[in-house]
Amino acid sequence: MSDVAHPVTRPTPVTTEPRLARHILIGTVVALVAVLLFAPLFAVFAEALRQGWAASIEGISSPDARAAIRLTLIVAAIAVPLNAVFGIAAAWAITKFDFRGKAFLITLIDLPFSVSPVVAGLALVLLFGANSWFGAWLIAHDLKIVFAFPGIVLATMFVTFPFVARELIPVMMEQGRAEEEAALTLGASGWRVFLTVTLPNIRWALLYGVLLCNARAMGEFGAVAVISGKIRGETTTMPIMIEMLYNEYLSVAAFSLAAVLALLALVTLFLKSLLEWCYADLLAATRRH
Amino acid sequence: MRAGILRSPSPLPGFGLSFGIMMAVLSIVVLLPIVALLGHGLAIGPADLWGMVSSRRIRAALALSFRAALVASLFNLVFGLVLAWVLVRYRFWGRRLIDAAIDLPFALPTAVAGIALTALYAPNGAFGQLLAPLGLRVAYTEIGIWLALIFIGLPFVVRTVQPVIEEVDREVEEVSATLGARRAYTLRRVVLPTLTPALLTGFALALARSVGEYGSVIFIAGNLPFQTEIAPLLIVIRLEEYNHEAATAIGLAMLLIAFAMLLAINAIQIWSRRRIGDV
């Protein structure tokens, strides 16, 4: 036996691929990610700055662009908190109580993930449009939903609907009910239990969900395109404005506005990664396994 | 009488409030619009709906949306698996950056992705110029649609498979190796079967998202009827013509596809839970 002749310093890596295969795989992955993900991101900034900073800043400071930025911020400021409240309520009802039809309910909450945003917009137009069931009543009361601000908020809420609930449900499911029940037996009120026991346990998952919800809310295009009517300066959110500028061959202005949204996406990704690295154990169980 | 047979008793408060908020928002934001869409469909009647959906232009658009989504999701199925494997198993410079970048398509607005891809792949764009001498046109062709759908579907497979790979028991791989299996055989016969449910779930999620995608596609597609016109765009066109009937017909067809995929995803999850305990 020649075992003694050359002492084994490292166990043979039987649970990894041959060295060459590893290098090829890493090379493929890096190349594809560079082409598929980094190149488009880079292109946004390159196109935005094609004629220098001045032209770029001018592009995003026109009255229409400023109105679009303002509208996007206001819509997100309304839709995101509403969906957060919904998400918390849904997660509380689903994880703290046992009732029939729970699985079906979760499927319904997930529904907006598989429905095309354009179909969502269409459904809202059919529900609230001029010749719909509600339409006549809305016109009689001088309320505008379609081609107006409330429609944009509803469309945004539809597409971002599952985000917060989806993050909270697995976390609260895993944490169980024992802590809340203990607090209750010690005499805490329902709200106190929620604020001092539940909320601290779910805050990072909540923040995570809100972050993703916000990114999608500010960037939603299809559903808003259908319901907003694209009235310049009134119902144009940033993504809609980008489309208009692009179609008018105002490339620098379109890409400058796009760069603002891309920066927002980068901030979102950064915060998301930070949350994942720092609080991995407190985020959704699905990511921890 | 709130409790009763539908709900087993719990000492915790707030069922009425939380359930109420949930149902109210769910109904107003999601269910009522969907019901309105279904109601309009019923009012038009199945025969007329079918007549419209089977018109050549709508059929072409639906077929294109589904075909392109299938191609893109198949690409993402393979590439997503490789990506997830490399990110979990290998250590290399830039790994964390790539891991963080995977979620870019989730965070980047679709319209921004759309114009960025078009700028890159247009005949005078950075990549378009390189591909033109090869006779390959990407922008304003179906390949452009595939590319946009690959972009937006990329994270789904990676993010569903990644946690499962992290859980794979290396001892099983060692056992396989000691029993004389070559690495490729171990991967194919030992590792891959445990990943299959997650792969299928990720694939179905990517497919569902891609079939209905609009924002990233319309800029790069060229939008020629019968050739590069996707179904969601046709809905928008019909709505702009105030042809609500045709828009409803296409919308219902797409909703049906969405429901079918949701069912498929649930079925995959139930099947895999039975087989290996958890997804």
Side-chain angles (χ1 to χ4, degrees), chain B residues 145-169:
Chain B
I145 303 178
W146 298 350
L147 190 76
L149 295 182
I150 287 171
F151 178 86
I152 59 131
L154 181 67
F156 288 97
V157 174
V158 181
R159 290 304 187 222
T160 43
V161 177
Q162 214 173 1
V164 185
I165 295 180
E166 272 162 13
E167 285 239 303
V168 169
D169 197 348

Side-chain angles (χ1 to χ4, degrees), chain A residues 99-188:
Chain A
F99 53 89
R100 280 210 199 158
K102 198 189 268 190
F104 180 64
L105 206 58
I106 295 176
T107 306
L108 283 184
I109 291 174
D110 274 345
L111 188 63
F113 273 159
S114 1
V115 173
S116 168
V118 171
V119 175
L122 166 72
L124 284 166
V125 169
L126 293 178
L127 180 62
F128 296 113
N131 45 8
S132 72
W133 305 335
F134 280 131
W137 185 86
L138 288 171
I139 290 168
H141 290 77
D142 205 21
L143 292 167
K144 277 203 85 177
I145 292 185
V146 172
F147 304 152
F149 179 73
I152 300 174
V153 173
L154 280 174
T156 306
M157 281 186 73
F158 185 106
V159 292
T160 58
F161 192 69
F163 279 99
V164 178
R166 225 50 254 63
E167 290 303 322
L168 292 185
I169 290 172
V171 178
M172 286 168 71
M173 199 87 93
E174 190 141 302
Q175 270 157 357
R177 305 167 191 174
E179 287 181 38
E180 280 87 357
E181 285 166 1
L184 214 60
T185 57
L186 293 172

